[in-house]
Every structure is written in C-alpha cells, then in structure tokens.
Amino acid sequence: MTKIEHIKAEIEALTQDEFIQLRAWFAEKDWLRWDRQIEADVAAGKLDFLLEEAMIAKAQGELQDL
C-alpha cells in the first residue's frame, strides 16, 4: 500500500467530527501555501503585468467602483 493509499484509508475511517476537523485543517494549510506562493510571485515580479493592466484601464477610464 502506498503512502497516499494508506492516508486515504485512514481518512475513510474517521468519524464525522474528525473528518470535519481534518477538512478545516487541510483548508487552512492550503490557504497558507497559496498565500506564500502569491507573496513569492509578487516579490519575483510575476504579477507586475496585473498592475500594468490596471493602470492602463484606469488611464482609459475603464475601471468601475465596487
């Protein structure tokens, strides 16, 4: 049995409450990884094109208030 198969089997054996706790933990961990990746991409300049697009749209009067 692979590690993933073992983890899946263990998850299947969880109670409803344990599953809810695991799901919340996993979602939080996933969001933290996402945040770190976005921060790294910003620092590396990978998202600069978005700022440029927004500045062009602003200059052309194409932005809308939220």
Side-chain angles (χ1 to χ4, degrees), residues 16-43:
Q16 182 69 17
D17 287 342
E18 291 170 331
F19 182 79
I20 290 168
Q21 290 176 26
L22 177 63
R23 184 176 55 200
W25 173 84
F26 196 83
E28 179 65 23
K29 189 152 189 73
D30 192 38
W31 277 113
L32 289 173
R33 285 185 177 191
W34 173 260
D35 286 346
R36 283 194 301 269
Q37 183 63 56
I38 291 293
E39 289 170 2
D41 288 349
V42 167

